[in-house]
Amino acid sequence: MADDDGRTRLPQWKEDFPIRWEEDHYVTRRELAKFLTLGSALLVGANAAVAIAGRARRAKSFEPRRVAAASALAPGQALLFRYPTEEDPCILVRTRAGALVAFSQVCTHLSCAVVYRASDDKLYCPCHEGLFACDPGERGAQPLEGPPERPLPRVVLDVRGDDVYATAVVA
Ligand code: FES
């Protein structure tokens, strides 16, 4: 475009937004691809770390509380208690094999109350037919059937003589 004097004029947009190529910082396609690849790898790694941390189970100690007399439960029997607060329903089970175990009674699907089913030695949620193992030790109440995907929090027990105490929750 030429002005009245016959000089070449820049288009208006180039005057408004001038590009100074000599000051520009060039990024090659290879550098951009490398940056995108590394960025994606970092995001994948961060997501994996968050997922692993979310699944790691942590024990939280509370004031020990006497739950029951150990002799009060025969194999295949259960009783309900609350721990660590009155708002936290739990279930103490003497499995058919004779082990004492305790778990939160709140289903990890939609929070219905699970019950002990002695016929198959499992914890059952009647709301949506959820089924949990009732194993002593680390594995605890893993989900077996139905919609629940996370295990029930485990209540750590300490048997002192004939007294059963709850001392911590592993969630
Ligand atoms: S609330 Fe327990 S299975 Fe849905």
Side-chain angles (χ1 to χ4, degrees), residues 106-114 124-132 145-148:
V106 181
C107 179
T108 53
H109 178 224
L110 291 177
S111 302
C112 287
V114 300
Y124 172 68
C125 179
C127 284
H128 310 102
E129 311 265 310
L131 197 64
F132 296 87
E145 287 176 18

Side-chain angles (χ1 to χ4, degrees), residues 1-168:
M1 187 188 306
D3 58 14
D4 297 341
D5 303 333
R7 285 183 309 194
T8 308
R9 256 190 74 211
L10 291 172
Q12 188 61 44
W13 67 268
K14 277 196 174 182
E15 287 179 13
D16 291 342
F17 304 102
I19 299 172
R20 297 189 177 83
W21 292 106
E22 63 284 353
E23 294 172 15
D24 208 0
H25 178 71
Y26 287 100
V27 177
T28 64
R29 217 177 299 172
R30 181 182 299 243
E31 285 172 330
L32 179 65
K34 209 191 287 181
F35 171 78
L36 291 176
T37 306
L38 281 175
S40 301
L42 279 175
L43 281 177
V44 168
N47 277 336
V50 168
I52 289 168
R55 292 213 168 244
R57 306 190 81 194
R58 284 176 287 272
K60 199 165 178 195
S61 297
F62 297 96
E63 185 74 24
R65 180 185 292 179
R66 185 184 179 279
V67 170
S71 57
L73 285 177
Q77 288 186 333
L79 62 78
L80 305 180
F81 66 102
R82 291 179 180 266
Y83 187 78
T85 74
E86 288 304 308
E87 313 299 317
D88 303 302
C90 298
I91 185 165
L92 173 70
V93 175
R94 167 99 55 198
T95 66
R96 293 195 313 200
L100 274 174
V101 289
F103 302 100
S104 164
Q105 205 192 1
V106 181
C107 179
T108 53
H109 178 224
L110 291 177
S111 302
C112 287
V114 300
V115 294
Y116 174 63
R117 206 164 66 182
S119 59
D120 56 2
D121 217 17
K122 305 271 188 291
L123 293 160
Y124 172 68
C125 179
C127 284
H128 310 102
E129 311 265 310
L131 197 64
F132 296 87
C134 188
D135 296 332
E138 292 298 308
R139 285 194 51 76
Q142 293 292 326
L144 301 174
E145 287 176 18
E149 294 184 348
R150 290 174 293 121
L152 296 171
R154 182 169 59 88
V155 179
V156 179
L157 299 175
D158 184 17
V159 181
R160 305 173 191 170
D162 192 38
D163 294 322
V164 182
Y165 284 84
T167 60

